[in-house]
Amino acid sequence: MRPAGKGAHDSLYFTYPAFTAPDRAHVLAREGCKVAIVGAGPVGMFAALTLARFGIASVLFDKKDTFNDGSRAICVQRSSYQALERAGAVKPFIEKAYGWTMGRTFYRGEQILEFEMPHSDSEKYLPMYNIQQQFIEQYLWDAVAASPLIETRWCSEVTGADDTESGARLSVQDTNGRYQIEAEWVLAADGARSAIRSMRGLRLKGDNFPGRYVIADVQMDHAYQTIRRALFDSKSNPDKTILIHRQPDNIWRIDYQMPDGQSEEEAISEDNIRDNVGRILRDIDYQGAWELEWWSIYSANTLALDDYRDGRVIFIGDSAHIVPIFGVRGLNNGLADAENAGWKLARVLKGLSDERLMDSYSPERRGATLDVFENATKSARFMTPPTKGWTVMRDAALSLALDHEWAGAFANPRQMEPFTYTDGGAVLSHTETAGSVKPGAVLPNERLSDDAYLSDLLGNGFTLIVLEEKDPAGLDALKASLLGLDPELECITSGHIRARFGAAGLSRLHERLGTQPGATLLIRPDGYLAGAWPTCVADVIVAQATAAFGRKETH
Amino acid sequence: MRPAGKGAHDSLYFTYPAFTAPDRAHVLAREGCKVAIVGAGPVGMFAALTLARFGIASVLFDKKDTFNDGSRAICVQRSSYQALERAGAVKPFIEKAYGWTMGRTFYRGEQILEFEMPHSDSEKYLPMYNIQQQFIEQYLWDAVAASPLIETRWCSEVTGADDTESGARLSVQDTNGRYQIEAEWVLAADGARSAIRSMRGLRLKGDNFPGRYVIADVQMDHAYQTIRRALFDSKSNPDKTILIHRQPDNIWRIDYQMPDGQSEEEAISEDNIRDNVGRILRDIDYQGAWELEWWSIYSANTLALDDYRDGRVIFIGDSAHIVPIFGVRGLNNGLADAENAGWKLARVLKGLSDERLMDSYSPERRGATLDVFENATKSARFMTPPTKGWTVMRDAALSLALDHEWAGAFANPRQMEPFTYTDGGAVLSHTETAGSVKPGAVLPNERLSDDAYLSDLLGNGFTLIVLEEKDPAGLDALKASLLGLDPELECITSGHIRARFGAAGLSRLHERLGTQPGATLLIRPDGYLAGAWPTCVADVIVAQATAAFGRKETH
Amino acid sequence: MALNFADLEIVYEELARTLDRLSPSEREVFLCKLSLLMARDLGDLSRVQAMIQTAQNHLETL
Amino acid sequence: MALNFADLEIVYEELARTLDRLSPSEREVFLCKLSLLMARDLGDLSRVQAMIQTAQNHLETL
């Protein structure tokens, strides 16, 4: 919502574009597409960019005529920056967003916790960046619009999605009328209230948490670093919780638990928003002027589909799962869904993998969601305790934290690292290990020179890293076999690394990965480690990679 | 109270005597007495017997015409038996009372504690005996009536007690009229509502505990040993407490905390008494017939005078202090008061001690009272917790006790051993020690042969025990000096003990007292250890005993 | 070595007196703080878990 | 050695879930039982007394 007298897209700092429906003749002429993506929010656009990264064309539908009216998601984490980089879209984010590493938690006005998110010189990106959702959509849209492989149809509502023998038939309603279009695959990125989900007769399952939160963005000249602040039981919101985040363009996110004695309707009236926000700003010693940009209300839920795949329809982002805000994993999880579904679907469509590779999507990403649920549930139970038991324990921990540093850890928001996959067929089974790196985990990054990181060496598709001291005898044959599996395969050897970064670079890499010379790693297109072997035994690697990612001859 | 239709003294098992006022001519003829004792309850009668033990005559006043209407005190402890023995009155108690050593505590029907009171073969008496108060009064009265030194005036209310130059002048009202009588000393044994206390303008100070208890005596053929039972949160009195004691003549004391929702008035109505008692008897699996004898109501208090002596008026028993019932220290403490005041007063009146010996009465007995308060307060807080905090901790301890034996200790009624005196001048200051016996404590008893205990060897007055291997050279001179201090002095030597009980008897005595040969002990007429020396140094002993118990030449 | 009974009784009495100084909601927070403090200090998760189990016995009223 | 945070969090969660299964009066008795159990096990009166003191800090509401 916006202040009285302002339109839904009347922002203090952002100019919304105005899109129109595509040309009627064009839409009637095109009968089908490989991939239809429903929803041109951040997740849908990123899915289109990921498919385009592998040369796959898509058609992107959205019923709106512009971006989201407000800025819901504002925290983008390191792994999402790495994914944006792989899709060639990270540059404007780096320029605009505010990176941060630190959070501070206050109880009754006293700081009880200052936490640093895991970070080191090995990393190319900071653990977290704050940027308004409008900018996220704008920058993704700039990349989408520039891609010849993506056709976007704004003002186009998908009203039906029926299975056909070779995929699905979408019914579309736009400003100019109705039409139908065939798609081999459908990516449903149409958000928390997904229409596709309803059309397919699917329901999210899980828990709702009590407690309502108001999020309000205000513009002000507030001098405070980009540090997440959490306030428990403050003067300005007794017994309740407040979160404060800095964003670009002097925008500050004030996120507060609805005070007792206000109904939801009252809480979102402009007068109450101004009252509550004003009280909070005085509480954090801000004396200057401020302008109200936008506000909304939300509650915490942990809801997910039982299966993110329904035939040829793949659910990505909020259409598949709704996670509590207190782990900043809504958007980030959605981007990971999009990349996971995108690279796998591209391989299937290009004939490099059997369709059953898609079976690994739901277990991997649903596993990640359940992991988010577990941590976000802990955070939500701390932020808005659902029952007397959780309330009294939370209050006990906060009260202890005033005297004991160790108790502050209960207030940690648990903004966790990417999930390590174990289910499904896209991680090679491993009875052996190669150092501290574990198949299913994101490959750690390492700075190899002033301007190059390990991640910069990875290819667009799979990457094989062979850390034998000398190139093994069968390396060429191995590369040839793997290129049959992925023509884009990149192969990096100890020799390459030593040549470019010296012996010191190579040993730094071993140290970071915990590997010994001989270790061989296979990296997936999404940066996850597919497999790891202590030595480069070509036939084992080829057999395992073919089984997991290739077309099976018996199929 | 007694059942409808019965008189106040219409008992199922006891025939009350009927006393009349003394002859008018006699009371008008006698102008004065050495000691007037107000109150012919157990404490007053025992004080008269103690004075008589030392040859001191007394006049005993009581406004009633018979004994107490009901049986309040029923537990007589070992130290009281020893005192009764010293006064020559113990025999009928031994024949009638039920001795016991064990208690059992139940919580919600399950036994959580079985405790044994300290007892061994060294002791002449059991730690505790149950006997109705009527029998206590009857047996003491039999001894009083037989004593030529005690004149008892029943139906005689003392209505005034004014100081005179040589003592006090009592105003008395009896059935025949008023009169006055002079007394050198007054022992006020007129109970919890002491009229003497009011006349002297004194007030008890201390705390009242919440919770009302009903005590009811019933007659029934109940097969259970003489074991104190305490029931917490039972079916028959939820959340509340019940105590059950066996008494002679098939009488059982049912002592229960007033159930919630009954006013005091309702609680003592005969119907409710029968309901409540009936429920409790069913709860302890008694199925047979029972008859209601008597009932009353009480609450727990810890109240005492600041000083038990007011000039020539000495307060003994409940007139000086009211203790909670849960330590069975009301009567027993009163008997100890009477003996303490009695032997000291006898010495003063006989000219053996300076009057200031009486200054030691209040510190010693008030110290004992405060010690009782401390323990009884713990018991009372457990039986009827006064606040939420004590209630929840009590319930926690009881609940734990169902699983953990150690937690049962919280439910121990703390029926403690006699107090060890430290204050006042009646215990000799001691920088030395003689074994484990400590001056101010009761002399431990020891069985020396089949029919003789250490206590049997003690004299009526002080006793000197000299445990030198051979009689020391100055023993005769020492005895002569001490006999000047107390003509009744008894002297026991190692030689006497070895001659009568053999070397084994002597060594058993050393073991019990923790003494080495040479140890010399001085025992007071009330069985307390006055002093102890590692060797018999005559002049030290005479000097210390003279200072504490003798007439000072400079005075 | 476990606290002896005399010491345990001191704890019992301090807890009772402390609870009486607190309001009902403060009492619960106090007891939960104390539980976390003592559990941490005990340093033995399985022992603490066993005690949490044991303490739940016999709570229902008759 | 003190319980590590992961273990302490297990205690935290077990306590919260246990409290939710109990009525208000049961909650207090449960917590007092647990306090006595743990205090006894800790075996160090002065340490327990210090924790009883510490746990009373900051209980008053703002």
Side-chain angles (χ1 to χ4, degrees):
Chain A
M1 274 158 284
R2 293 186 185 270
K6 289 206 173 193
H9 301 104
D10 201 351
S11 166
L12 292 169
Y13 63 92
F14 187 80
T15 307
Y16 281 84
F19 302 114
T20 52
D23 178 67
R24 181 76 180 159
H26 169 74
V27 301
L28 293 178
R30 182 163 184 181
E31 287 184 0
C33 60
K34 291 268 185 202
V35 183
I37 303 174
V38 185
V43 172
M45 290 196 280
F46 187 66
L49 291 172
T50 298
L51 287 168
R53 169 184 159 195
F54 298 104
I56 303 296
S58 62
V59 180
L60 186 55
F61 299 87
D62 200 293
K63 62 180 176 183
K64 301 193 309 299
D65 64 356
T66 188
F67 303 148
N68 207 298
D69 71 316
S71 169
R72 285 185 168 79
I74 62 164
C75 292
V76 183
Q77 64 187 163
R78 174 188 289 141
S79 61
S80 295
Y81 261 53
Q82 287 166 329
L84 288 167
E85 181 188 302
R86 286 187 289 267
V90 78
K91 192 163 170 286
F93 289 90
I94 294 173
E95 286 162 5
K96 187 72 179 180
Y98 289 164
W100 56 281
T101 59
M102 186 184 278
R104 289 180 182 154
T105 301
F106 301 82
Y107 175 54
R108 300 181 170 181
E110 275 190 58
Q111 182 173 313
I112 57 166
L113 173 71
E114 179 176 282
F115 65 91
E116 282 277 358
M117 284 181 291
H119 187 57
S120 77
D121 276 350
S122 301
E123 298 293 350
K124 187 166 181 178
Y125 297 109
L126 290 173
M128 199 72 79
Y129 295 86
N130 284 358
I131 183 171
Q132 290 93 319
Q133 185 167 335
Q134 291 95 313
F135 291 118
I136 298 172
E137 295 188 32
Q138 179 70 58
Y139 301 155
L140 289 172
W141 170 243
D142 292 345
V144 163
S147 170
L149 290 170
I150 308 170
E151 180 190 337
T152 309
R153 301 188 181 181
W154 293 98
C155 309
S156 301
E157 181 175 5
V158 175
T159 58
D162 303 312
D163 289 336
T164 63
E165 277 206 4
S166 59
R169 181 182 304 108
L170 300 185
S171 304
V172 184
Q173 163 89 60
D174 71 14
T175 331
N176 304 317
R178 294 171 180 277
Y179 63 91
Q180 291 195 322
I181 183 167
E182 304 278 335
E184 289 183 32
W185 293 84
V186 177
L187 297 181
D190 53 347
R193 291 179 187 146
S194 170
I196 303 292
R197 196 175 63 217
S198 302
M199 291 171 206
R200 306 293 293 189
L202 302 174
R203 291 175 61 90
L204 300 175
K205 294 177 188 167
D207 299 317
N208 300 299
F209 285 84
R212 294 283 173 279
Y213 270 79
V214 171
I215 46 177
D217 278 352
V218 300
Q219 196 168 46
M220 59 177 177
D221 279 321
H222 178 39
Y224 204 92
Q225 291 170 274
T226 310
I227 291 173
R228 171 196 192 268
R229 278 177 285 179
L231 283 61
F232 290 89
D233 196 13
S234 60
K235 269 188 214 144
S236 53
N237 204 8
D239 277 339
K240 299 283 186 290
T241 315
I242 301 166
L243 295 173
I244 299 171
H245 276 287
R246 182 181 178 224
Q247 303 171 69
D249 293 344
N250 279 354
I251 299 294
W252 291 80
R253 164 67 48 90
I254 315 293
D255 186 339
Y256 61 89
Q257 199 181 351
M258 229 171 73
D260 281 334
Q262 291 186 2
S263 72
E264 203 163 312
E265 203 168 48
E266 289 166 351
I268 57 169
S269 79
E270 187 176 339
D271 285 351
N272 275 321
I273 297 287
R274 289 188 183 277
D275 266 9
N276 292 333
V277 169
R279 206 177 322 118
I280 291 166
L281 295 184
R282 282 191 298 278
D283 203 9
I284 60 169
D285 279 332
Y286 177 72
Q287 317 283 354
W290 53 277
E291 280 198 79
L292 189 54
E293 154 74 3
W294 171 87
W295 68 90
S296 184
I297 192 166
Y298 73 91
S299 62
N301 305 293
T302 50
L303 298 165
L305 287 174
D306 286 339
D307 191 338
Y308 293 180
R309 180 179 172 189
D310 178 30
R312 288 292 181 91
V313 180
I314 311 285
F315 292 89
I316 57 178
D318 288 357
S319 67
H321 47 71
I322 300 178
V323 303
I325 198 174
F326 322 108
V328 299
R329 295 301 297 264
L331 171 65
N332 294 292
N333 231 26
L335 296 179
D337 291 348
E339 190 178 38
N340 193 300
W343 74 258
K344 289 173 180 174
L345 189 53
R347 286 185 63 82
V348 171
L349 288 168
K350 287 156 88 172
L352 294 172
S353 287
D354 190 278
E355 188 180 326
R356 74 170 56 183
L357 178 60
M358 293 311 295
D359 293 344
S360 69
Y361 165 71
S362 186
E364 287 191 348
R365 294 310 305 160
R366 197 165 183 276
T369 301
L370 297 181
D371 189 51
V372 169
F373 283 1
E374 196 180 305
N375 282 280
T377 296
K378 286 181 182 179
S379 287
R381 277 192 313 231
F382 203 83
M383 299 291 283
T384 59
T387 60
K388 176 73 184 170
W390 293 106
T391 304
V392 69
M393 289 308 299
R394 194 274 307 260
D395 292 347
L398 286 171
S399 183
L400 277 175
L402 288 172
D403 296 323
H404 304 279
E405 209 181 324
W406 54 262
F410 284 108
N412 192 299
R414 301 156 206 271
Q415 285 154 335
M416 20 107 53
E417 292 292 289
F419 182 62
T420 294
Y421 298 140
T422 51
D423 284 309
V427 173
L428 302 186
S429 64
H430 52 97
T431 53
E432 296 179 294
T433 181
S436 58
V437 289
K438 197 182 162 204
V442 168
L443 179 73
N445 212 347
E446 181 54 43
R447 186 186 185 113
L448 297 173
S449 73
D450 278 355
D451 57 359
Y453 288 83
L454 171 60
S455 61
D456 299 334
L457 309 186
L458 304 179
N460 191 49
F462 279 87
T463 303
L464 185 72
I465 303 179
V466 181
L467 296 177
E468 296 277 359
E469 276 303 282
K470 292 183 180 173
D471 288 356
L475 182 59
D476 284 341
L478 171 61
K479 277 161 67 175
S481 297
L482 287 175
L483 282 168
L485 199 66
D486 181 3
E488 290 190 85
L489 180 91
E490 184 73 36
C491 181
I492 305 166
T493 64
S494 295
H496 296 141
I497 293 167
R498 200 184 292 106
R500 191 164 157 199
F501 306 107
L506 182 61
S507 89
R508 202 176 308 128
L509 186 62
H510 274 303
E511 197 182 324
R512 171 72 163 162
L513 302 178
T515 44
Q516 299 294 324
T520 301
L521 312 174
L522 183 64
I523 319 301
R524 310 194 326 186
D526 56 5
Y528 280 79
L529 198 62
W533 301 266
T535 53
C536 181
V537 185
D539 52 351
V540 171
I541 295 172
V542 172
Q544 291 188 351
T546 305
F549 302 109
R551 182 179 295 276
K552 283 184 185 167
E553 290 180 15
T554 54
H555 191 66
Chain B
M1 274 158 286
R2 294 186 184 272
K6 287 205 172 193
H9 302 103
D10 201 352
S11 164
L12 293 169
Y13 64 90
F14 187 80
T15 307
Y16 280 84
F19 300 116
T20 52
D23 177 66
R24 182 73 181 161
H26 169 74
V27 301
L28 292 178
R30 182 164 183 179
E31 287 184 0
C33 61
K34 291 267 183 202
V35 184
I37 303 173
V38 184
V43 172
M45 289 195 282
F46 187 66
L49 290 172
T50 298
L51 287 168
R53 169 184 157 193
F54 297 104
I56 303 297
S58 62
V59 180
L60 186 57
F61 298 87
D62 200 293
K63 65 180 175 185
K64 301 193 308 303
D65 65 355
T66 188
F67 302 148
N68 207 296
D69 72 315
S71 170
R72 286 184 168 78
I74 63 164
C75 292
V76 183
Q77 65 186 164
R78 175 188 289 143
S79 59
S80 295
Y81 262 54
Q82 287 167 330
L84 289 166
E85 182 189 301
R86 285 188 289 267
V90 78
K91 192 162 170 286
F93 288 89
I94 295 173
E95 285 163 4
K96 186 72 178 182
Y98 288 164
W100 56 280
T101 60
M102 184 183 279
R104 289 178 182 154
T105 301
F106 301 82
Y107 175 55
R108 299 182 172 181
E110 274 191 58
Q111 183 173 313
I112 57 166
L113 172 72
E114 181 175 281
F115 65 90
E116 282 276 358
M117 284 180 290
H119 188 57
S120 77
D121 276 350
S122 300
E123 299 292 350
K124 186 166 181 179
Y125 298 108
L126 290 174
M128 200 71 79
Y129 295 87
N130 284 356
I131 183 171
Q132 291 92 319
Q133 185 167 335
Q134 292 96 314
F135 291 118
I136 297 172
E137 297 188 32
Q138 178 71 59
Y139 301 155
L140 289 172
W141 170 244
D142 291 343
V144 163
S147 171
L149 290 169
I150 308 171
E151 180 190 335
T152 309
R153 300 186 181 182
W154 293 98
C155 309
S156 302
E157 181 175 4
V158 175
T159 58
D162 302 311
D163 289 336
T164 62
E165 277 206 5
S166 59
R169 182 182 303 112
L170 300 185
S171 304
V172 184
Q173 163 91 60
D174 71 13
T175 330
N176 304 317
R178 295 172 181 279
Y179 62 91
Q180 293 195 319
I181 184 169
E182 305 280 333
E184 290 184 31
W185 293 84
V186 177
L187 296 180
D190 53 347
R193 292 182 186 140
S194 170
I196 302 292
R197 197 175 63 217
S198 302
M199 290 170 208
R200 306 292 295 187
L202 302 174
R203 291 175 61 89
L204 299 176
K205 293 178 188 166
D207 299 316
N208 301 298
F209 286 83
R212 294 282 172 280
Y213 269 78
V214 170
I215 45 177
D217 278 351
V218 300
Q219 195 169 48
M220 60 178 177
D221 280 320
H222 178 39
Y224 204 90
Q225 289 169 277
T226 310
I227 292 174
R228 172 196 191 268
R229 279 177 285 179
L231 283 61
F232 290 89
D233 196 13
S234 60
K235 268 188 214 143
S236 52
N237 203 8
D239 278 337
K240 299 284 185 292
T241 315
I242 301 166
L243 295 172
I244 300 171
H245 276 287
R246 182 180 177 225
Q247 303 169 72
D249 293 345
N250 278 355
I251 299 293
W252 292 80
R253 162 67 47 89
I254 314 293
D255 186 340
Y256 61 90
Q257 200 180 352
M258 229 171 72
D260 281 334
Q262 290 186 1
S263 70
E264 202 163 313
E265 201 169 49
E266 288 165 351
I268 56 168
S269 79
E270 186 175 340
D271 284 352
N272 275 322
I273 297 288
R274 288 187 184 278
D275 266 10
N276 292 332
V277 170
R279 206 174 324 115
I280 292 166
L281 295 184
R282 283 190 298 278
D283 202 10
I284 60 169
D285 279 333
Y286 177 72
Q287 318 284 352
W290 53 277
E291 280 198 78
L292 188 55
E293 155 74 3
W294 171 87
W295 68 91
S296 185
I297 191 165
Y298 73 91
S299 62
N301 305 291
T302 50
L303 297 166
L305 287 174
D306 287 338
D307 191 338
Y308 292 181
R309 180 179 171 189
D310 179 30
R312 287 293 181 91
V313 180
I314 311 285
F315 292 88
I316 57 179
D318 288 358
S319 67
H321 47 71
I322 301 179
V323 303
I325 197 171
F326 321 109
V328 299
R329 295 301 296 265
L331 171 64
N332 294 291
N333 232 26
L335 297 179
D337 291 347
E339 191 179 35
N340 194 299
W343 73 260
K344 290 173 181 174
L345 188 53
R347 285 184 64 83
V348 170
L349 288 168
K350 285 157 88 172
L352 294 172
S353 289
D354 190 277
E355 189 180 325
R356 75 171 53 181
L357 178 62
M358 293 312 296
D359 292 344
S360 69
Y361 165 70
S362 185
E364 286 191 349
R365 293 311 304 161
R366 197 165 183 277
T369 301
L370 297 181
D371 189 53
V372 169
F373 282 0
E374 195 181 305
N375 283 279
T377 296
K378 287 182 181 179
S379 287
R381 278 193 312 234
F382 203 84
M383 299 290 284
T384 59
T387 60
K388 178 70 182 170
W390 293 105
T391 305
V392 70
M393 290 308 299
R394 193 274 306 261
D395 291 348
L398 286 169
S399 183
L400 277 175
L402 288 171
D403 296 324
H404 303 280
E405 210 180 323
W406 54 263
F410 285 108
N412 193 297
R414 300 156 207 269
Q415 286 156 333
M416 19 108 52
E417 292 291 289
F419 181 62
T420 293
Y421 298 141
T422 51
D423 284 308
V427 173
L428 302 187
S429 62
H430 52 97
T431 52
E432 298 178 291
T433 181
S436 57
V437 288
K438 196 181 162 203
V442 168
L443 178 74
N445 212 349
E446 182 55 43
R447 186 188 186 112
L448 297 172
S449 72
D450 278 356
D451 56 0
Y453 289 82
L454 171 59
S455 60
D456 299 333
L457 308 187
L458 303 179
N460 190 50
F462 279 89
T463 303
L464 185 71
I465 304 181
V466 181
L467 297 177
E468 297 279 357
E469 277 302 282
K470 289 184 180 173
D471 288 355
L475 184 59
D476 285 341
L478 172 62
K479 277 161 69 174
S481 296
L482 287 174
L483 281 168
L485 198 67
D486 182 2
E488 290 191 87
L489 180 91
E490 184 74 36
C491 180
I492 305 167
T493 64
S494 295
H496 296 141
I497 294 166
R498 199 183 293 106
R500 191 166 157 197
F501 306 109
L506 182 61
S507 87
R508 200 175 311 128
L509 185 62
H510 275 303
E511 196 182 325
R512 172 70 164 163
L513 302 179
T515 45
Q516 300 293 324
T520 301
L521 313 174
L522 183 64
I523 317 304
R524 308 193 328 185
D526 56 4
Y528 280 79
L529 199 61
W533 300 266
T535 54
C536 182
V537 185
D539 53 350
V540 171
I541 295 172
V542 172
Q544 291 188 350
T546 304
F549 302 108
R551 182 179 296 276
K552 284 182 184 168
E553 291 178 17
T554 54
H555 191 68
Chain C
M1 220 184 59
L3 228 47
N4 63 36
F5 181 71
D7 284 351
L8 196 60
E9 192 168 38
I10 291 171
V11 172
Y12 176 97
E13 297 189 359
E14 283 199 14
L15 287 175
R17 291 198 177 89
T18 302
L19 294 173
D20 276 340
R21 279 194 298 271
L22 302 175
S23 73
S25 65
E26 288 171 349
R27 282 203 296 267
E28 281 192 285
V29 175
F30 161 74
L31 289 167
C32 288
K33 287 177 72 177
L34 185 60
S35 296
L36 285 175
L37 280 168
M38 294 204 289
R40 181 170 180 275
D41 222 48
L42 274 165
D44 181 341
L45 178 62
S46 59
R47 238 178 136 70
V48 171
Q49 287 179 307
M51 288 190 265
I52 292 175
Q53 278 309 309
T54 296
Q56 291 175 59
N57 294 343
H58 324 294
L59 290 179
E60 68 299 340
T61 44
L62 280 179
Chain D
M1 220 181 59
L3 228 48
N4 63 37
F5 181 71
D7 284 351
L8 196 59
E9 191 168 37
I10 292 171
V11 172
Y12 175 99
E13 298 189 357
E14 283 199 14
L15 286 175
R17 290 198 177 88
T18 302
L19 293 174
D20 277 339
R21 279 194 298 271
L22 302 176
S23 72
S25 65
E26 288 170 350
R27 282 202 296 268
E28 283 192 284
V29 175
F30 161 74
L31 289 167
C32 288
K33 287 177 72 177
L34 185 59
S35 296
L36 284 175
L37 280 167
M38 295 205 288
R40 182 171 178 274
D41 223 46
L42 275 165
D44 181 341
L45 178 62
S46 59
R47 239 180 135 70
V48 171
Q49 287 179 308
M51 290 191 265
I52 292 175
Q53 277 309 309
T54 296
Q56 292 176 58
N57 294 343
H58 322 294
L59 290 179
E60 69 298 342
T61 46
L62 280 180

